[in-house]
Amino acid sequence: MGNRLIITIDGPAGAGKSTVAARLAERLGVAYLDTGAMYRAVTLVAMEKNVPLDDNTALARIAEQSVIDVTFEEGQSRIRLDGREVTDEIRSPLVTEQAHYPAGAAEVREQLVRRQREIGRRLGSLVTEGRDQGTVVFPEARFKFYIDASPECRARRRKQQLREQGVEISYEEVRAAQRQRDQRDTNRQVGPLKPAEDAIIVDTSEMTLEEVVEKLYQIVSECM
Ligand code: DC
Protein backbone atom coordinates (compact mmCIF):
# COMPACT_ATOMS: atom_id res chain seq x y z
CA MET A 1 0.00 0.00 0.00
CA GLY A 2 2.12 2.87 -1.26
CA ASN A 3 -0.30 5.72 -0.71
CA ARG A 4 -1.51 7.13 2.53
CA LEU A 5 -4.65 5.35 3.67
CA ILE A 6 -6.61 6.96 6.47
CA ILE A 7 -9.88 5.38 7.53
CA THR A 8 -11.98 7.01 10.23
CA ILE A 9 -14.56 5.16 12.30
CA ASP A 10 -16.83 7.26 14.49
CA GLY A 11 -20.05 6.49 16.32
CA PRO A 12 -21.67 6.15 19.74
CA ALA A 13 -20.49 3.92 22.56
CA GLY A 14 -21.44 0.27 22.21
CA ALA A 15 -21.92 0.22 18.45
CA GLY A 16 -18.95 -2.13 18.10
CA LYS A 17 -16.49 0.45 16.76
CA SER A 18 -13.38 -0.65 18.65
CA THR A 19 -13.54 -4.30 17.70
CA VAL A 20 -14.41 -3.46 14.11
CA ALA A 21 -11.64 -0.86 13.84
CA ALA A 22 -9.01 -3.19 15.28
CA ARG A 23 -9.97 -6.10 13.03
CA LEU A 24 -10.22 -3.95 9.93
CA ALA A 25 -6.78 -2.49 10.64
CA GLU A 26 -5.36 -5.98 11.08
CA ARG A 27 -6.86 -7.14 7.84
CA LEU A 28 -5.54 -4.16 5.93
CA GLY A 29 -2.13 -4.41 7.59
CA VAL A 30 -2.24 -0.86 8.97
CA ALA A 31 -2.22 0.53 12.52
CA TYR A 32 -5.29 1.12 14.66
CA LEU A 33 -5.59 4.23 16.80
CA ASP A 34 -8.00 4.14 19.75
CA THR A 35 -8.53 7.85 20.46
CA GLY A 36 -10.99 7.22 23.31
CA ALA A 37 -8.04 5.71 25.21
CA MET A 38 -6.36 9.12 25.17
CA TYR A 39 -9.35 10.83 26.83
CA ARG A 40 -9.51 7.94 29.29
CA ALA A 41 -5.80 8.28 30.10
CA VAL A 42 -6.22 11.99 30.92
CA THR A 43 -9.19 11.07 33.13
CA LEU A 44 -7.15 8.44 34.98
CA VAL A 45 -4.30 10.86 35.72
CA ALA A 46 -6.72 13.51 36.96
CA MET A 47 -8.44 11.01 39.25
CA GLU A 48 -5.15 9.70 40.63
CA LYS A 49 -3.80 13.18 41.29
CA ASN A 50 -7.08 14.44 42.74
CA VAL A 51 -7.32 17.14 40.11
CA PRO A 52 -10.88 18.54 40.00
CA LEU A 53 -12.46 17.14 36.85
CA ASP A 54 -14.11 20.46 36.02
CA ASP A 55 -10.82 22.36 36.00
CA ASN A 56 -10.21 22.53 32.25
CA THR A 57 -6.88 24.29 32.55
CA ALA A 58 -5.53 21.62 34.88
CA LEU A 59 -6.90 18.86 32.61
CA ALA A 60 -5.23 20.47 29.59
CA ARG A 61 -1.94 20.58 31.48
CA ILE A 62 -2.26 16.84 32.12
CA ALA A 63 -3.00 16.25 28.43
CA GLU A 64 0.04 18.30 27.47
CA GLN A 65 2.50 16.86 29.97
CA SER A 66 1.58 13.16 30.07
CA VAL A 67 3.29 10.74 27.76
CA ILE A 68 0.33 8.79 26.36
CA ASP A 69 1.54 5.99 24.17
CA VAL A 70 -1.22 4.22 22.24
CA THR A 71 0.07 1.26 20.27
CA PHE A 72 -1.41 -1.62 18.34
CA GLU A 73 0.13 -4.95 19.26
CA GLU A 74 -1.09 -8.41 18.25
CA GLY A 75 -4.47 -7.06 17.22
CA GLN A 76 -4.97 -5.22 20.52
CA SER A 77 -4.73 -1.61 21.52
CA ARG A 78 -2.25 -1.07 24.38
CA ILE A 79 -1.94 2.10 26.39
CA ARG A 80 1.06 3.23 28.38
CA LEU A 81 0.91 6.33 30.49
CA ASP A 82 4.31 7.80 31.38
CA GLY A 83 5.72 4.34 30.77
CA ARG A 84 3.16 2.53 32.95
CA GLU A 85 0.81 -0.03 31.42
CA VAL A 86 -2.80 1.17 31.93
CA THR A 87 -4.61 -0.78 29.20
CA ASP A 88 -7.10 -2.36 31.61
CA GLU A 89 -7.25 0.41 34.20
CA ILE A 90 -8.58 2.99 31.76
CA ARG A 91 -11.54 0.68 30.98
CA SER A 92 -12.85 0.68 34.56
CA PRO A 93 -16.48 1.78 35.02
CA LEU A 94 -15.31 4.78 37.07
CA VAL A 95 -13.01 6.09 34.34
CA THR A 96 -15.73 5.40 31.75
CA GLU A 97 -18.18 7.45 33.77
CA GLN A 98 -15.82 10.41 34.29
CA ALA A 99 -14.21 10.58 30.83
CA HIS A 100 -16.79 13.08 29.60
CA TYR A 101 -15.04 15.82 31.61
CA PRO A 102 -11.81 15.92 29.57
CA ALA A 103 -13.82 15.09 26.42
CA GLY A 104 -15.92 18.22 26.95
CA ALA A 105 -12.95 20.52 27.55
CA ALA A 106 -11.93 22.44 24.41
CA GLU A 107 -8.36 22.89 25.74
CA VAL A 108 -7.95 19.13 26.19
CA ARG A 109 -9.40 18.34 22.79
CA GLU A 110 -7.01 20.78 21.18
CA GLN A 111 -4.02 18.95 22.69
CA LEU A 112 -5.27 15.48 21.86
CA VAL A 113 -6.39 16.36 18.33
CA ARG A 114 -2.90 17.73 17.67
CA ARG A 115 -1.35 14.50 18.92
CA GLN A 116 -3.72 12.38 16.85
CA ARG A 117 -2.75 14.29 13.69
CA GLU A 118 0.93 13.83 14.56
CA ILE A 119 0.39 10.09 14.92
CA GLY A 120 -1.43 10.11 11.57
CA ARG A 121 1.49 11.91 9.91
CA ARG A 122 4.02 9.56 11.46
CA LEU A 123 2.19 6.35 10.58
CA GLY A 124 0.92 7.45 7.18
CA SER A 125 -1.83 4.84 7.06
CA LEU A 126 -4.19 3.95 9.87
CA VAL A 127 -7.69 3.11 11.01
CA THR A 128 -8.60 5.68 13.64
CA GLU A 129 -11.61 5.43 15.90
CA GLY A 130 -13.49 7.92 18.09
CA ARG A 131 -16.22 10.54 17.84
CA ASP A 132 -14.64 13.35 15.78
CA GLN A 133 -12.13 11.56 13.59
CA GLY A 134 -13.94 12.11 10.29
CA THR A 135 -15.35 15.53 11.16
CA VAL A 136 -12.46 17.31 12.91
CA VAL A 137 -9.23 15.35 13.09
CA PHE A 138 -8.89 13.81 9.61
CA PRO A 139 -11.40 15.60 7.34
CA GLU A 140 -9.24 14.53 4.39
CA ALA A 141 -9.52 10.79 5.22
CA ARG A 142 -10.02 8.53 2.24
CA PHE A 143 -12.79 6.52 3.93
CA LYS A 144 -15.11 7.70 6.69
CA PHE A 145 -17.45 5.32 8.44
CA TYR A 146 -20.08 6.07 11.05
CA ILE A 147 -20.97 2.92 12.95
CA ASP A 148 -24.33 2.99 14.69
CA ALA A 149 -26.77 0.55 16.30
CA SER A 150 -30.08 0.82 18.12
CA PRO A 151 -29.82 2.00 21.75
CA GLU A 152 -31.20 -1.36 22.98
CA CYS A 153 -28.65 -3.32 21.01
CA ARG A 154 -25.78 -1.12 22.18
CA ALA A 155 -26.86 -1.47 25.81
CA ARG A 156 -27.04 -5.26 25.46
CA ARG A 157 -23.55 -5.38 23.97
CA ARG A 158 -22.17 -3.10 26.67
CA LYS A 159 -23.71 -5.27 29.40
CA GLN A 160 -22.08 -8.33 27.87
CA GLN A 161 -18.74 -6.54 27.62
CA LEU A 162 -18.92 -5.55 31.29
CA ARG A 163 -19.80 -9.10 32.26
CA GLU A 164 -16.68 -10.31 30.46
CA GLN A 165 -14.72 -7.85 32.63
CA GLY A 166 -16.38 -9.35 35.72
CA VAL A 167 -18.74 -6.39 36.27
CA GLU A 168 -22.44 -7.22 36.77
CA ILE A 169 -24.77 -4.27 36.18
CA SER A 170 -28.49 -4.48 35.31
CA TYR A 171 -29.62 -3.76 31.75
CA GLU A 172 -31.60 -0.74 32.98
CA GLU A 173 -28.54 0.79 34.63
CA VAL A 174 -26.39 0.22 31.55
CA ARG A 175 -29.09 1.76 29.37
CA ALA A 176 -29.45 4.83 31.62
CA ALA A 177 -25.68 5.43 31.75
CA GLN A 178 -25.51 5.05 27.98
CA ARG A 179 -28.33 7.55 27.45
CA GLN A 180 -26.42 10.08 29.49
CA ARG A 181 -23.16 9.42 27.60
CA ASP A 182 -24.96 9.76 24.26
CA GLN A 183 -26.41 13.09 25.31
CA ARG A 184 -23.06 14.43 26.44
CA ASP A 185 -21.29 13.15 23.33
CA THR A 186 -23.79 14.70 20.90
CA ASN A 187 -24.44 17.96 22.71
CA ARG A 188 -20.95 19.17 23.58
CA GLN A 189 -19.69 22.34 21.91
CA VAL A 190 -16.37 20.94 20.73
CA GLY A 191 -15.91 17.78 18.67
CA PRO A 192 -19.49 16.53 19.13
CA LEU A 193 -20.49 13.08 17.95
CA LYS A 194 -21.97 13.33 14.47
CA PRO A 195 -21.40 11.69 11.11
CA ALA A 196 -19.22 13.59 8.66
CA GLU A 197 -21.22 14.75 5.64
CA ASP A 198 -19.36 12.28 3.45
CA ALA A 199 -19.44 9.39 5.96
CA ILE A 200 -20.81 5.97 5.10
CA ILE A 201 -23.32 5.10 7.82
CA VAL A 202 -23.49 1.46 8.88
CA ASP A 203 -26.22 0.26 11.25
CA THR A 204 -24.83 -2.81 12.99
CA SER A 205 -27.94 -3.74 15.04
CA GLU A 206 -28.69 -6.80 12.93
CA MET A 207 -25.12 -7.67 12.04
CA THR A 208 -22.37 -9.68 13.70
CA LEU A 209 -19.09 -7.84 14.15
CA GLU A 210 -17.49 -10.19 11.60
CA GLU A 211 -20.12 -9.10 9.06
CA VAL A 212 -19.40 -5.45 9.78
CA VAL A 213 -15.65 -5.95 9.33
CA GLU A 214 -16.30 -7.80 6.06
CA LYS A 215 -18.57 -5.04 4.78
CA LEU A 216 -16.06 -2.28 5.56
CA TYR A 217 -13.20 -4.32 4.12
CA GLN A 218 -15.15 -4.84 0.88
CA ILE A 219 -15.91 -1.14 0.55
CA VAL A 220 -12.29 -0.17 1.14
CA SER A 221 -10.78 -2.78 -1.13
CA GLU A 222 -13.24 -2.11 -3.96
CA CYS A 223 -12.45 1.59 -4.01
CA MET A 224 -8.67 1.39 -3.78
O1 DC B 1 -14.74 5.42 22.90
P1 DC B 1 -14.50 5.48 24.40
O2 DC B 1 -15.65 4.99 25.22
O3 DC B 1 -13.23 4.81 24.81
O4 DC B 1 -14.33 7.04 24.73
C1 DC B 1 -14.02 7.51 26.03
C2 DC B 1 -14.52 8.93 26.21
O5 DC B 1 -13.86 9.84 25.33
C3 DC B 1 -16.01 9.13 25.94
O6 DC B 1 -16.49 10.04 26.91
C4 DC B 1 -16.07 9.76 24.57
C5 DC B 1 -14.78 10.50 24.48
N1 DC B 1 -14.17 10.56 23.15
C6 DC B 1 -14.21 11.75 22.48
O7 DC B 1 -14.81 12.71 22.97
N2 DC B 1 -13.61 11.88 21.27
C7 DC B 1 -12.96 10.85 20.73
N3 DC B 1 -12.35 10.98 19.54
C8 DC B 1 -12.92 9.60 21.40
C9 DC B 1 -13.55 9.50 22.62
Side-chain angles (χ1 to χ4, degrees):
M1 222 169 299
N3 285 337
R4 236 181 127 177
L5 176 66
I6 295 187
I7 299 172
T8 61
I9 301 189
D10 293 303
K17 282 182 306 218
S18 306
T19 312
V20 168
R23 296 212 193 138
L24 180 66
E26 227 182 356
R27 227 166 133 185
L28 292 166
V30 301
Y32 155 55
L33 177 63
D34 172 4
T35 64
M38 301 171 91
Y39 290 92
R40 287 171 179 271
V42 173
T43 311
L44 182 65
V45 177
M47 284 166 49
E48 285 178 347
K49 294 192 170 161
N50 289 319
V51 168
L53 283 156
D54 56 359
D55 183 343
N56 290 359
T57 311
L59 292 177
R61 204 171 308 127
I62 292 174
E64 193 180 357
Q65 293 174 352
S66 307
V67 180
I68 306 170
D69 196 18
V70 187
T71 56
F72 187 46
E73 296 167 33
E74 290 160 18
Q76 304 272 350
S77 180
R78 269 185 83 178
I79 296 86
R80 290 183 196 82
L81 184 56
D82 295 320
R84 170 167 66 112
E85 167 92 48
V86 293
T87 304
D88 294 329
E89 243 175 304
I90 58 160
R91 307 262 159 237
S92 77
L94 198 55
V95 172
T96 302
E97 196 188 300
Q98 308 291 336
H100 68 90
Y101 285 105
E107 302 90 324
V108 173
R109 299 200 75 87
E110 204 179 295
Q111 298 284 342
L112 297 186
V113 164
R114 185 175 49 76
R115 285 186 186 208
Q116 289 156 20
R117 289 189 182 134
E118 267 167 26
I119 295 172
R121 260 195 304 278
R122 179 160 48 83
L123 296 176
S125 295
L126 80 165
V127 176
T128 178
E129 178 240 318
R131 306 290 188 285
D132 58 347
Q133 299 301 290
T135 49
V136 174
V137 186
F138 298 104
E140 79 287 9
R142 188 114 62 98
F143 296 93
K144 297 181 186 177
F145 293 103
Y146 187 87
I147 305 286
D148 210 344
S150 70
E152 296 73 24
C153 170
R154 292 192 286 120
R156 264 199 317 275
R157 285 182 188 161
R158 175 79 184 138
K159 182 166 161 37
Q160 178 61 29
Q161 198 182 38
L162 285 168
R163 173 172 285 171
E164 282 160 17
Q165 292 172 13
V167 182
E168 285 294 341
I169 302 182
S170 74
Y171 172 83
E172 285 68 30
E173 271 180 275
V174 174
R175 179 80 183 81
Q178 176 186 278
R179 198 173 286 128
Q180 200 175 37
R181 262 207 307 281
D182 282 357
Q183 256 166 18
R184 287 180 173 141
D185 267 350
T186 28
N187 293 331
R188 70 169 163 254
Q189 297 292 315
V190 281
L193 169 67
K194 67 169 179 203
E197 270 176 27
D198 50 351
I200 299 170
I201 298 178
V202 181
D203 187 325
T204 69
S205 308
E206 306 292 327
M207 297 168 83
T208 65
L209 293 180
E210 285 72 26
E211 285 168 343
V212 183
V213 176
E214 185 59 33
K215 183 179 169 106
L216 268 49
Y217 181 78
Q218 289 306 329
I219 293 173
V220 172
S221 44
E222 270 167 28
C223 301
M224 297 239 301

